[in-house]
Amino acid sequence: MKTFLITAAAGDTGAPTVKFLLEKGHKVRALVRREDERAAKLRASGAEVVVADMLQLRQMREALTGVSVAYFCYPLAEGLVEATTIFAQASKEAKLELVVNMSHKQSRPNATSPQTLKHWLAERVLNWSGVPTVHLRVTLFAEWLLYTAHLIREGRYVTPFEAESRFAPIAAADIARVVAGILANPARHAGQTYALHGPVEYSHAEIARLLGAILEKEIRFEAVTVEGFLSLLGMPDNDFLRLHFSAIKKDQQEGLLAGLDERGVEIIGQPLVTLPQFIEQHYESLT
């Protein structure tokens, strides 16, 4: 039986990927940064949990021992290119059949976001390694609504982006279904780069109106500065996110996050979660 390694296994895409693979009877090794309640939950579900630092080559070699395929997802933080290089080397030594790499939709060599540029570089590193890889260039998650749920409960849809900027939010669970589907069929997907979007494109103003209709209350659209947005999230001094969100604002102005595709549906064989369905699923958190 193959062993599947899932990094960021306690995160938005990692945790459901573990769940879907276990449901299919696969052997899953879940990599986490620390022992906590989320790690305990993964272990209770049947996963083998390993605690490792993705910036430590020795630890990643150990984590990948006996693994056949892996999902590589690095958090929105410093160290992406170094972590990717370490993961690529350890994956090559382990002779992995496939790595699924989480990237950004707007990944490109002239990206204005330092993190998006690093995702493009990370794609290159994995390609140079010779390890068969699938790059997932994903648009903004529907989970952004949950990150600002405390403001939505106050009747405010607050964003650092412009009202008419458009994107097709995708639920993390659907990304996880795509990841699990690719990992289970490595030969079919190796060497591909897939853009992933949700099923319907919206402007931020339209999302505010949709929230109001489903939650049956007035939800005001508010565009604030990046600095103001970070303050509302309790991270006023996070220069890393300030640069990243400022670049995403420009990317949206240029239409780089707009668009749709059918790739996700083709891989998982079922419709993707719509934004109204996502809001209904998280109704209590948003009210």
Side-chain angles (χ1 to χ4, degrees), residues 2-6 21 26-30 67-69 183-184:
K2 292 182 179 180
T3 297
F4 295 68
L5 177 74
I6 307 301
L21 289 171
H26 297 297
K27 183 179 179 181
V28 180
R29 184 175 297 164
V67 168
S68 298
V69 292
L183 290 174

Side-chain angles (χ1 to χ4, degrees), residues 4 19 23 26 64-65 71-72 102 144 153 181 198 223 257:
F4 295 68
K19 174 178 180 291
E23 287 175 349
H26 297 297
L64 283 162
T65 299
Y71 173 44
F72 178 74
M102 169 65 79
W144 277 104
R153 289 193 292 269
L257 284 160

Side-chain angles (χ1 to χ4, degrees), residues 193-265:
T193 297
Y194 296 142
L196 288 183
H197 310 81
V200 179
E201 186 180 272
Y202 296 90
S203 71
H204 290 285
E206 290 169 342
I207 291 175
R209 291 193 290 270
L210 181 65
L211 280 165
I214 295 175
L215 302 180
E216 298 181 315
K217 60 187 287 187
E218 181 184 359
I219 304 291
R220 303 183 307 277
F221 171 82
E222 295 182 39
V224 299
T225 64
V226 171
E227 291 77 11
F229 186 66
L230 290 173
S231 293
L232 289 169
L233 294 182
M235 297 180 287
D237 301 319
N238 193 318
D239 287 337
F240 178 88
L241 290 180
R242 178 179 59 79
L243 290 171
H244 184 57
F245 289 155
S246 296
I248 290 179
K249 181 175 182 177
K250 183 178 180 181
D251 289 344
Q252 291 205 44
Q253 290 170 338
E254 296 176 359
L256 296 178
L257 284 160
L260 296 168
D261 73 282
E262 294 296 324
R263 183 64 61 188
V265 173

Side-chain angles (χ1 to χ4, degrees), residues 12 21 33 47 57 71 103 116 188 197 247 252 264 268 270 274:
D12 287 339
L21 289 171
R33 287 183 287 175
L57 178 57
Y71 173 44
S103 189
T116 299
R188 177 183 172 190
H197 310 81
Q252 291 205 44
I268 68 177
Q270 66 183 62
T274 66

Side-chain angles (χ1 to χ4, degrees), residues 26-281:
H26 297 297
K27 183 179 179 181
V28 180
R29 184 175 297 164
L31 187 146
V32 298
R33 287 183 287 175
R34 65 181 67 90
E35 280 286 359
D36 56 18
E37 291 182 1
R38 296 182 301 173
K41 184 176 180 180
L42 289 166
R43 190 175 288 108
S45 72
E48 174 194 356
V49 175
V50 295
V51 179
D53 182 348
M54 296 173 73
L55 292 171
Q56 297 297 320
L57 178 57
R58 180 178 297 177
Q59 293 182 30
M60 294 312 301
R61 281 171 168 157
E62 292 174 354
L64 283 162
T65 299
V67 168
S68 298
V69 292
Y71 173 44
F72 178 74
C73 179
Y74 194 75
L76 193 58
E78 296 287 359
L80 171 61
V81 176
E82 183 178 359
T84 306
T85 304
I86 288 169
F87 194 84
Q89 178 61 31
S91 297
K92 186 171 186 175
E93 293 173 6
K95 297 181 172 57
L96 260 60
E97 296 176 33
L98 187 74
V99 169
V100 176
N101 172 47
M102 169 65 79
S103 189
H104 285 176
K105 180 180 187 294
Q106 64 275 36
S107 172
R108 63 199 190 283
N110 60 341
T112 53
S113 163
Q115 189 70 356
T116 299
L117 176 58
K118 288 174 183 177
H119 270 290
W120 183 82
L121 289 170
E123 292 178 11
R124 307 282 79 71
V125 168
L126 285 162
N127 290 345
W128 295 334
S129 75
V131 177
T133 302
V134 176
H135 303 295
L136 298 183
R137 292 183 173 174
V138 184
T139 191
L140 299 180
F141 291 15
E143 274 69 13
W144 277 104
L145 297 182
L146 303 184
Y147 306 154
T148 59
H150 63 294
L151 300 172
I152 293 171
R153 289 193 292 269
E154 296 174 359
R156 307 166 65 194
Y157 176 76
V158 183
T159 173
F161 312 127
E162 296 174 352
E164 298 309 316
S165 293
R166 302 187 68 80
F167 71 108
I170 184 168
D174 278 335
I175 299 169
R177 290 185 179 93
V178 170
V179 172
I182 294 173
L183 290 174
N185 296 279
R188 177 183 172 190
H189 300 284
Q192 300 299 311
T193 297
Y194 296 142
L196 288 183
H197 310 81
V200 179
E201 186 180 272
Y202 296 90
S203 71
H204 290 285
E206 290 169 342
I207 291 175
R209 291 193 290 270
L210 181 65
L211 280 165
I214 295 175
L215 302 180
E216 298 181 315
K217 60 187 287 187
E218 181 184 359
I219 304 291
R220 303 183 307 277
F221 171 82
E222 295 182 39
V224 299
T225 64
V226 171
E227 291 77 11
F229 186 66
L230 290 173
S231 293
L232 289 169
L233 294 182
M235 297 180 287
D237 301 319
N238 193 318
D239 287 337
F240 178 88
L241 290 180
R242 178 179 59 79
L243 290 171
H244 184 57
F245 289 155
S246 296
I248 290 179
K249 181 175 182 177
K250 183 178 180 181
D251 289 344
Q252 291 205 44
Q253 290 170 338
E254 296 176 359
L256 296 178
L257 284 160
L260 296 168
D261 73 282
E262 294 296 324
R263 183 64 61 188
V265 173
E266 292 171 2
I267 292 172
I268 68 177
Q270 66 183 62
L272 302 181
V273 173
T274 66
L275 194 57
Q277 289 171 334
F278 182 88
I279 295 170
E280 292 283 2
Q281 288 171 3

